[in-house]
Amino acid sequence: MLIIHRISELQSQLQNERRKGHSVGLVPTMGALHEGHASLVRRSVGENDVTVVSIFLNPTQFNDKKDLERYPRTLEADCKLLEQCGAQIVFAPSVEEIYPEPDTRKFSYPPTDSVMEGAMRPGHFNGVCQIVSKLFSFTNPDKVYLGEKDYQQIAVIKRMVEDLGFKLTIVPCPVIREESGLAMSSRNTLLTDAERAIAANIYRVMKESRNLNANVSETHDYVVENINAIDGLEVQYFSIVDGDTLAEVGSWQDAESVVGCITVFCGSKPIRLIDHIRYK
Ligand code: PAF
């Protein structure tokens, strides 16, 4: 497995692969890898000749600098896991390599990037589009593997791919959950064992809400009330939205696919956890 820090080196390696007619899969990450990332990498390895995993803690997508500071950094362990998964190339550039100049580009794809995380974390999706568009340009992948855990992120990136005309396929991959049902996330390592156990209630309650036979507004209230009733959890938002546009729906008939997206504060620090559930 090659570990590359420079864009020019990545591009010349991939040029060699292309000359041999090899397909390229890209798994963009910010490191602190877990089984969820490993599942994306294994899928890419199975479907492409070469898998590139980028590890870059992208500062432009953090509107909260404290969040960036405490984000776990585990490059050595990450590389070990990637080697086991069969990745061929790790691209781990410095901030200066990616942003020699401040990136002033603006991306705007409402409502996908203006609701939910977009409203709570101004500038977040702009930063995601900045880094992801650069990674797509440097790598020119055939397929890009993204975890559905960040459901909204996939919707925004799909719009950007259409807008900028990238010739690649986005492959959304299912959420990988701990045995308790808690969605795997790099942020879970910031939770204590007790908080982790409490956090498992998020998915439990959302799953229950699928069996209520209730309308959208009752379902919404059920989830919010039942999660807020648990000590140590506080819902920031729960939105029941069209699974493609992310516009809120008023009834189950309003869209072909309907998804509930949630963000919950957990514990005293507190840690922000996101998850979603598909209703149809
Ligand atoms: O989902 C993430 O880890 C990041 O938002 C991504 C896509 C790697 C861009 O920095």
Side-chain angles (χ1 to χ4, degrees), residues 28-30 37 56 58 61 124 128 131-132 146 150 153 157:
T29 82
M30 297 202 295
H37 296 107
F56 180 66
N58 175 38
Q61 71 188 75
H124 168 66
V128 169
I131 182 59
V132 167
L146 294 168
D150 296 304
Q153 173 168 273
I157 293 176

Side-chain angles (χ1 to χ4, degrees), residues 110-134:
T112 57
D113 63 349
S114 56
V115 297
M116 302 189 290
E117 289 302 284
M120 297 298 156
R121 303 172 70 190
H124 168 66
F125 286 120
N126 199 62
V128 169
C129 288
Q130 287 176 340
I131 182 59
V132 167
S133 60
K134 279 178 182 265

Side-chain angles (χ1 to χ4, degrees), residues 10 150 222 231:
L10 175 72
D150 296 304
Y222 177 89
D231 229 16

Side-chain angles (χ1 to χ4, degrees), residues 171-216:
V171 183
C173 301
V175 180
I176 304 295
R177 296 185 180 279
E178 297 184 359
E179 224 173 283
S180 66
L182 176 64
M184 286 198 184
S185 161
S186 306
R187 287 191 169 83
N188 292 357
T189 59
L190 303 172
L191 299 171
T192 63
D193 287 349
E195 288 167 346
R196 236 181 156 105
I198 290 168
N201 287 294
I202 301 167
Y203 187 56
R204 178 186 62 74
V205 172
M206 286 202 298
K207 246 182 12 184
E208 276 170 18
S209 78
R210 275 204 298 221
N211 304 323
L212 293 178
N213 242 331
N215 65 31
V216 168

